[in-house]
Amino acid sequence: MAFENVIRRVDPYVPGEQPKVKGIIKLNTNENPYAPAEGVIKAIEDLDKMDYTKYPDPEVSLLVHALAEYHGLDDDQVFVGVGSDDVISMSFLTFFNSGKPVFFPDITYSFYDVWANLYRIPFETKALTEDFRINPEDYKGENGGIIFPNPNAPTGMLESLDMIEDIVKANPDVICIVDEAYIDFGGETCLPLLDKYPNLLVVRTYSKSRSMAGMRIGYMCGSRELIKAINDVKFSFNSYTMNATSIVAGVASVEAEEYFRENIDKVIKTREWTKKELTRLGFEFPDSYANFIFAKHATVSGKDIFEALKAENIFVRHFNKPRINDYLRISIGTDEQMKTLIEKLEKIVK
Ligand code: PMP
């Protein structure tokens, strides 16, 4: 039929499974195993019932202001979206318009190529080194923009601020986006580089360190010019992206700094324990600075372990992709969950 030709066809991103059954151990989408701060729940409960009847603030001013203050920036340097997926998607649309290929690593967040394809943005992937590092020299050729996560996903590898600066400095004519979804779990943020580089954008999410994947909050920090540009695109797309409850919950999370830090410390402690146990069981992995570990066993295949864990109601993530199909990405859960995981793995890899 003729109309077949007018439809935009895309291969969608496939997120990790969200099983509906209770009682499983869910270590497959890098969620936080701990609840958000009490203040977050209270802020939602305290929302005036008439606030539900009105459209939310299209400028998300309260949350933008709280985040700007938190990071020592001005309000016009922060953009808030419906999860960082929304922020990054909108960034592809706003910032990658030169017609030249956007560069990102071959092993990285698997949504980047989906957005590039959706918006018909040419891209080139740059192979990580054998030990999953970014080679900055790969990012110095002519390009239409650069994006990578730091720490990278799904590897958990952290790159240094010097290396990031090297890339941003070498690319003054394009926009460089650093996706810091996992930076709170032990990495050094590149936010201080914003003062020096107006072509740099830093993306953050509430879904991991802030325990609020269900609220869908993400944001981006950068120069006024770039933040204005992405706001203009957002207002050309949908004025009311952030709902009223997410806005107040987001502000309350920023106000609960002590609780936030305690939560992160717990996850890091459990991660370090899990690393030792995985090593004992014959796994190897790049040293993770995120809330997950990307591990491969010396003798048992990633797919076999994935299936065996699933049969035990433990969900981890397996990517059926070249170079990484023997790895499993294991999110860090509670101590108890990780102990159960290690007990099961002990039997599986024997
Ligand atoms: N960036 C990276 C590197 C991620 O792993 C994720 C989580 N899937 C996201 C962005 C998106 O997270 P969210 O939309 O929940 O903020």
Side-chain angles (χ1 to χ4, degrees), residues 27-315:
L27 308 174
N28 68 337
T29 49
N30 300 340
E31 289 141 332
N32 197 306
Y34 304 110
E38 276 303 314
V40 171
I41 313 304
K42 189 163 183 309
I44 297 169
E45 285 169 359
D46 287 352
L47 198 66
D48 189 305
K49 65 184 175 198
M50 291 317 286
D51 282 336
Y52 287 91
T53 70
K54 296 177 211 130
Y55 282 108
D57 170 17
E59 266 130 28
V60 202
S61 312
L62 278 180
L63 184 50
V64 163
H65 180 67
L67 289 167
E69 199 162 57
Y70 183 72
H71 290 302
L73 299 167
D74 292 330
D75 290 12
D76 52 7
Q77 292 185 274
V78 176
F79 171 79
V80 172
V82 187
S84 55
D85 280 342
D86 179 49
V87 175
I88 303 168
S89 163
M90 206 78 79
S91 298
F92 269 66
L93 193 57
T94 313
F95 301 118
F96 296 155
N97 292 294
S98 67
K100 292 177 194 158
V102 169
F103 290 174
F104 47 83
D106 64 337
I107 301 166
T108 195
Y109 186 30
S110 45
F111 220 142
Y112 296 160
D113 57 344
V114 175
W115 285 311
N117 286 325
L118 173 65
Y119 298 128
R120 300 184 181 140
I121 296 165
F123 65 94
E124 248 175 67
T125 58
K126 300 290 171 183
L128 294 179
T129 62
E130 275 305 300
D131 53 354
F132 295 143
R133 298 229 80 107
I134 286 176
N135 175 3
E137 298 312 310
D138 289 343
Y139 294 81
K140 293 182 182 173
E142 204 177 1
N143 66 75
I146 290 167
I147 181 164
F148 55 85
N150 192 46
N152 196 5
T155 64
M157 288 288 273
L158 181 74
E159 297 294 350
S160 73
L161 221 53
D162 285 349
M163 204 258 349
I164 293 172
E165 181 163 11
D166 185 22
I167 292 177
V168 179
K169 200 175 184 171
N171 287 284
D173 299 330
V174 295
I175 314 297
C176 301
I177 303 177
V178 181
D179 177 354
E180 291 194 338
Y182 302 100
I183 199 72
D184 291 321
F185 299 103
E188 192 181 358
T189 176
C190 66
L191 280 170
L193 296 180
L194 288 180
D195 282 341
K196 265 165 103 176
Y197 300 99
N199 62 322
L200 172 65
L201 287 165
V202 182
V203 181
R204 293 285 186 92
T205 177
Y206 272 58
S207 300
K208 321 295 176 180
S209 56
R210 291 196 177 275
S211 308
M212 289 166 71
M215 298 307 292
R216 310 305 299 129
I217 306 173
Y219 62 101
M220 171 179 257
C221 304
S223 62
R224 280 169 200 92
E225 189 187 350
L226 299 187
I227 296 302
K228 178 175 185 318
I230 193 168
N231 261 312
D232 287 347
V233 169
K234 170 236 159 123
F235 281 109
S236 311
F237 197 83
N238 176 357
S239 311
Y240 308 107
T241 50
M242 299 305 295
N243 69 66
T245 44
S246 290
I247 296 174
V248 293
V251 173
S253 172
V254 176
E255 286 165 356
E257 179 66 9
E258 201 178 322
Y259 179 85
F260 170 63
R261 292 286 153 205
E262 278 167 18
N263 246 355
I264 290 170
D265 287 349
K266 279 199 280 188
V267 172
I268 293 175
K269 211 163 145 243
T270 309
R271 177 186 73 202
E272 296 309 308
W273 178 86
T274 310
K275 283 180 188 172
K276 286 200 195 100
E277 291 296 303
L278 288 174
T279 305
R280 180 175 67 78
L281 297 182
F283 283 89
E284 45 178 272
F285 44 86
D287 194 21
S288 171
Y289 284 79
N291 66 338
F292 55 82
I293 299 171
F294 194 54
K296 164 174 113 165
H297 193 259
T299 53
V300 190
S301 82
K303 190 159 187 301
D304 286 352
I305 302 175
F306 172 81
E307 299 290 354
L309 285 175
K310 198 168 170 178
E312 297 281 359
N313 275 333
I314 300 179
F315 287 71

